[in-house]
Amino acid sequence: SDRLATANQELKRLDNAKSEFISIASHQLRTPLTAIKGYTSLILEGSYGKIDNQIQDVINKVYLANNRLIELVENLLSISRLESGRMQYNYQLVQLADIVKDAMSMFAVVAKKQDINLEVLTPEMPLPLLSLDAGKIREVISNLIDNALKYTEKGSVTVKMEQVGDEKIRLSVKDTGIGIKKEDLEHIFLKFARSKETEKLYVGGTGLGLYVGRTFVEKHGGRLWAESEGHGHGSEFIFELPISRNGV
């Protein structure tokens, strides 16, 4: 019993050390990655003079690769904070449609370049305000749209918002991509997990975004899940959030 207690304490110590290392390393990586993003963006915008198409293509690849690294760092920081209980939430009354609008604007150029129709469907009547941490929910929505574009070679990505009864608001991101096998529908929400089908098309993912996204949604009292009829039939990621009961 004493040996077991000692072993448990050592495991906790190592786990805390791991989380602290990830947090420190991620913070240290943030600064140079942000600088690389800024300078490559300026080059692509022509701030340092006109560049030929070949160089522009190379710089664009650097920019995209750097964005993936930033995404990885942010996810690692989020996981470190979640596991150590240091994640903070700033709840305010927010219109979900405004968050979606911001997220959609980020991916309009990417969708156009890939020749994918990116659209949003909103109800005729405005949705009720929700008590949210806007930054966290924006991260969830952005991750879902980003994944849909990654795994869709042609067709469309549709973001839909609707009210479900008197207690919930639902948001879905539906694509015409490669789909997900039924046995992978829950597996993909685990840390570092990726569907074998998705690996055939895209190899740059980390398997962290969906884990973080589900955690964020659950902390808001909601749930996040995926649906798909299998390979070649596209997929749909859906989350529901409760409508505040305080009269708004």
Side-chain angles (χ1 to χ4, degrees):
S1 177
D2 290 341
R3 287 198 299 269
L4 183 60
T6 301
N8 283 334
Q9 288 179 353
E10 180 64 11
L11 286 173
K12 288 180 180 179
R13 187 189 67 80
L14 291 173
D15 190 56
N16 289 335
K18 176 209 67 176
S19 297
E20 189 66 20
F21 170 77
I22 291 175
S23 180
I24 293 172
S26 299
H27 277 294
Q28 292 297 320
L29 286 169
R30 255 181 169 178
T31 301
L33 289 174
T34 302
I36 293 170
K37 180 178 181 178
Y39 283 119
T40 51
S41 178
L42 289 171
I43 293 171
L44 289 171
E45 291 170 2
S47 299
Y48 297 107
K50 188 176 181 180
I51 55 176
D52 62 43
N53 292 336
Q54 185 177 9
I55 295 176
Q56 187 173 33
D57 182 59
V58 172
I59 296 298
N60 189 57
K61 288 177 180 176
V62 172
Y63 181 82
L64 293 175
N66 187 70
N67 274 353
R68 298 300 174 210
L69 279 173
I70 292 174
E71 177 187 338
L72 172 59
V73 168
E74 291 298 332
N75 282 330
L76 287 172
L77 274 172
S78 293
I79 288 175
S80 175
R81 289 169 181 156
L82 287 169
E83 292 183 341
S84 63
R86 292 184 290 111
M87 180 64 74
Q88 296 181 346
Y89 294 84
N90 179 25
Y91 293 97
Q92 296 179 333
L93 290 179
V94 179
Q95 174 56 253
L96 185 63
D98 293 338
I99 300 177
V100 172
K101 183 179 179 181
D102 288 344
M104 293 287 283
S105 65
M106 291 169 35
F107 295 100
V109 175
V110 176
K112 186 176 181 179
K113 186 175 181 180
Q114 295 180 210
D115 197 24
I116 293 174
N117 182 36
L118 178 61
E119 62 176 346
V120 59
L121 303 177
T122 57
E124 293 183 5
M125 296 293 292
L127 295 170
L129 296 175
L130 298 177
S131 180
L132 303 174
D133 183 317
K136 303 291 192 301
I137 296 302
R138 184 183 295 109
E139 185 174 336
V140 176
I141 296 171
S142 297
N143 182 261
L144 296 181
I145 296 173
D146 188 33
N147 280 346
L149 291 171
K150 286 176 188 174
Y151 301 125
T152 301
E153 291 185 293
K154 60 181 180 179
S156 63
V157 172
T158 303
V159 180
K160 182 179 179 180
M161 290 174 286
E162 59 185 328
Q163 184 169 338
V164 182
D166 296 327
E167 299 184 348
K168 298 176 183 176
I169 286 180
R170 176 181 294 172
L171 182 141
S172 64
V173 179
K174 187 174 185 178
D175 63 62
T176 58
I178 61 175
I180 306 169
K181 290 182 178 180
K182 289 186 178 180
E183 58 265 31
D184 285 334
L185 288 175
E186 277 301 312
H187 174 72
I188 57 175
F189 289 98
L190 301 176
K191 278 188 293 186
F192 299 105
R194 297 172 61 207
S195 166
K196 292 180 180 179
E197 294 300 317
T198 63
E199 291 174 1
K200 296 176 183 177
L201 178 63
Y202 180 76
V203 295
T206 61
L208 295 172
L210 290 177
Y211 169 80
V212 172
R214 172 174 273 189
T215 304
F216 283 167
V217 170
E218 289 177 348
K219 290 293 184 180
H220 282 77
R223 67 188 187 107
L224 168 64
W225 72 96
E227 296 179 358
S228 177
E229 294 183 8
H231 179 69
H233 294 283
S235 58
E236 184 173 14
F237 285 81
I238 307 156
F239 70 76
E240 292 179 341
L241 295 171
I243 297 173
S244 176
R245 296 180 180 276
N246 59 5
V248 296

